[in-house]
Amino acid sequence: MAVLEKIRKRTVFLILVIGLALFAFVISGIFSRNTTPDQLVIGSVNGDDISYREFSTQVENTTRNMGGSIGQGYIVNALWQQAVQGKIIDQQFEKLGISVGKEQIFAMIKRVPQYAQDPQFQDEKGQFSIAKFAQVIAQIKKVNPAQYQQWQAEEKSYVDGAKRELYLSLIRAGLGVTLKDGEDAYHRQADKVTFNYVTLPYTSIPDSEVKVSDAEIDAYVKAHKKQFEQKEMRNIQFVWVTETASEADIKQVEQSLQALNAPRVVYNSQKQANDTLPGFGALATKDVPQFVNENSDVPFDSLYVSKDRLPADHAEALYNLPVGDLYGPYKEGNTYRYTRMLSKKPNAQMRASHILIAYKGSLPGNETITRTKEEAKAKAEDILAKVKAGEDYAALAMVNSDDSSNAPNGGDLDFFSPGMMVPAFNDYVFHGKVGDIGLVETNFGFHIIKITDQREGVQLATIVRNIEPSKATQNEIYTKLTAFNEQALQHPKDFASLAAKAGYNVLPANNLDAMAEDIPGLGNNRALVRWAFADDTKVGDIHREDVKDGYIIAQLTKKISEGVASASDARPIVAPILIKEKKAKQLSEKLKGSTLEQVAQASGQAGNIQTAENVTQEYPALPGQGSEPSVLGAAFALPQGKVSQPIAGDNGVYVIQVTQKDIAPALPNYSSYMAPLRNQKLNRASQDLFSALEATADIKDNRAKFY
C-alpha cells in the first residue's frame, strides 16, 4: 500500500498547481457525479453556490498536508480563486455545450511524474497504464474509504485541468495577429524622429500652491466611476509593544557569562565536603563540551570552521585566539557569547574536483547510463592516466563526468567539511594533500579526484545566552500597557495623544479588505482584521490582543463601504492627477510664442532649447526628462518645421519643433514582427481571459465570515 502514502502526499501539490478542485470524476466510473446540496455557502458565482462544507474540507486537508509551511490565509485565497475560476469555466462549458473526454483526463494523469514513473503503474513495455492505475484506485476504495475521499479531491483537479486546457486552447485558437499589427510594430521600433524642445517641469510649481477641492475630486470620481469602485474596507491605528530586554537585563546576561570563568564550589555528597571546580577557562579540554551544554542556550558544536564562517564583527579576534584562551563575553545579534579556543587544524575544509564515471545500477540510478561496472572502471582509469599525463583536468571533466551538477565547472565541488562526502571520498581527500590526484570507488561510481585547496579551521567552544526580558521587565511592560489600554477605553478620541504620552508610536493601517492577512508595520494578523470587520465593532472601539513577544492595542478609525469611493477616500489617488492637470494649464500659459526662441524667452529660459535625437515610439525616453510617450506621439504627427502647441507630458509641459523624421522603408514581410505579438497574446490569454470573465461575473464572497 505504498501508493496510498504517495497519493496522500501528492494531493495538495496537484490541487494547487494543476488547478481547480470542483468537478468530481471517478476512475472506476468516469463522470459519475454525486452532489449533496449544502445549506451553508461561502460564496457564489452568477448564482451558482460554492459549498462551505466542500471548501472548508479542501482548506483543512491542504493545511494539514502542507504541514504549516504555508499560511492558512494563502491557502484560502488560492482555493477561492480556483473555485471561482472553476465555476466560471463550468458555466462557459455549459453555455458552449462542450465537454472533456476521458482521454484528455488520462493525459493529465500521465503527466504526473510520480505516477508515470512508478513501475506498479506501468505495463510490460514500461509505459504508464491507466488500467493498472485504476486497479490501484479501486483497491484503495475497498480498503481505505478516507484515503479514497482524498483521491476524489485529487481527481477533481484532473477533470478541471483538462477543462481548463480545452477552454484555453479554444480561446488561443482565436487569437490572431494581422499584417497591419506587424507593420505597426515594425514602425514603432524603426521610425525615428529628431526634434528641439522647450519644457517646464511640473516640479517647478510646488504642490502646496495648487488647491484641489472635494467638489473637484467628487466630479472626477463621478466621471470615472468604474475606476473608483471599491470593496468594503477598514482603517485602523494601533500600538505594538514588544517585550524587549532592559539595559539591566542585558547587563545581567553579560555578568552571568563572566561568572562562569570563576571557580565553582559544589557539595560532594560522597566526601560530605565542598569541592572547588575550575571555571570555563581552566577546564580540561575533555570536560568543555559538557560544561557548554550545561550552561548554554545552544549545544556544543564540535565542527571546525573557517574564518569566513565566524561572526563578522568578531572573526579576526576569534580566529587568532590562542588555544585555551577565552574571548568575551561579546554581543552577537540578540545573544551574548563567551568563547574558548579548543583547537586549530590546517585542513579543516578541503576543496576538490571530481570526474564521476557512473555505471548501470550505481546511485542515484540514472537510467540513461548503460555501461557496466567493469567498463566504468576502465574508462575512469583511462581518464586518470590522461590527467597524470598532463591533459587538462577541467576539460576532461566537462566532457566525461556524469555529475551534471558540477561538470560544467570542471568538476569543482568547492570547499567542504569532514563528513559531507561519502566515506571513501571523504577519507581520500582529508588524508591527502593539495595536488593529489587519485581514483576512488563509491556507490555513485568511480571518481577521479583532484585535491585543489585547503582551509585552516578552528574548533571553538561557545556558551550562548539569549538576551531576554526578565520577569520584572515583563511585569513593568504589562503594567504600563494595561494603564494605557484603560485610558484609551475611557477616552477613545484621545488614543493618539495618550499613546504619545506613554511613549508609544501609533501606526496606521488603512484600506484593509475583509480577507487581508498582512497588516503594514505588523505583519500577519488575521485575527485583528476579523475584529475590525466584526458586525459589533464600531468606529472608535479599542481592541487588545496578545501576540508573540508582545501586545497590540488597536482602534478602528473608519469603515469604508462598498461602492464608489467618496471624495475623501479617493483624494490620495485623484488629487495628484488634478494637481498635474492644473499645473499643465499654468505652465502652458507660460509657453507662448511662434518660435522656440520666443517660447524659451517667454518661459524665462532664454536660449535653453534642448534636443532629442533619433527617438522611437518603442522607447520614448527624452534625455534628462524620462519617458514621454505623448510627446513622441505628437512629434510623429507634427509636420517638420512646425512649432507645436504646449503638450502635457508625464513629467512636464513641452513645446516642440521637429527637425527630422526618418520613416523606415516598407518590408516585403512583417512575420518577424508578428510572432512576438502573437506570443504576447498567447502568454497573456489565461490571465486576461479570467480577469475579463471575473469582471463581468456576479461574485458573492462570504469568506470573511468563516476565515
Side-chain angles (χ1 to χ4, degrees), residues 333-387:
N334 199 41
T335 65
Y336 254 101
R337 304 183 177 205
Y338 206 9
T339 297
R340 174 175 163 176
M341 175 65 75
L342 293 184
S343 177
K344 298 186 178 184
K345 184 188 288 186
N347 65 339
Q349 284 190 316
M350 299 295 286
R351 184 170 190 168
S353 298
H354 82 139
I355 302 172
L356 173 64
I357 307 301
Y359 53 85
K360 187 175 183 179
S362 62
L363 295 176
N366 188 337
E367 294 181 0
T368 63
I369 295 175
T370 59
R371 71 174 71 95
T372 65
K373 184 175 181 178
E374 291 73 20
E375 290 170 339
K377 183 178 181 181
K379 181 175 180 179
E381 289 173 341
D382 180 60
I383 294 172
L384 177 63
K386 290 179 180 178
V387 172

Side-chain angles (χ1 to χ4, degrees), residues 18 69 95-96 120 156 161 219 293 343 568 579 596 641 645 669:
I18 294 179
S69 60
K95 184 184 297 184
L96 296 171
Q120 64 182 319
K156 288 177 184 180
N293 289 333
S343 177
S568 60
I579 287 173
L596 283 186
Q645 294 297 312
N669 190 308

Side-chain angles (χ1 to χ4, degrees), residues 497-516:
S497 61
L498 290 170
K501 187 177 179 180
Y504 298 140
N505 291 324
V506 177
L507 300 174
N510 296 330
N511 301 327
L512 299 173
D513 68 48
M515 287 305 298

Side-chain angles (χ1 to χ4, degrees), residues 4-5 7-8 11 140 144-152:
L4 296 181
E5 184 63 15
I7 289 178
R8 187 187 70 78
T11 298
I140 292 173
N144 195 330
Q147 196 70 52
Y148 181 71
Q149 285 185 344
Q150 288 196 22
W151 163 246
Q152 285 182 304

Side-chain angles (χ1 to χ4, degrees), residues 574-591:
V574 177
I577 298 172
L578 297 183
I579 287 173
K580 182 184 282 190
E581 290 180 358
K582 290 190 174 189
K583 286 183 179 182
K585 289 181 181 179
Q586 293 180 35
L587 296 174
S588 295
E589 291 299 319
K590 296 180 179 181
L591 295 169

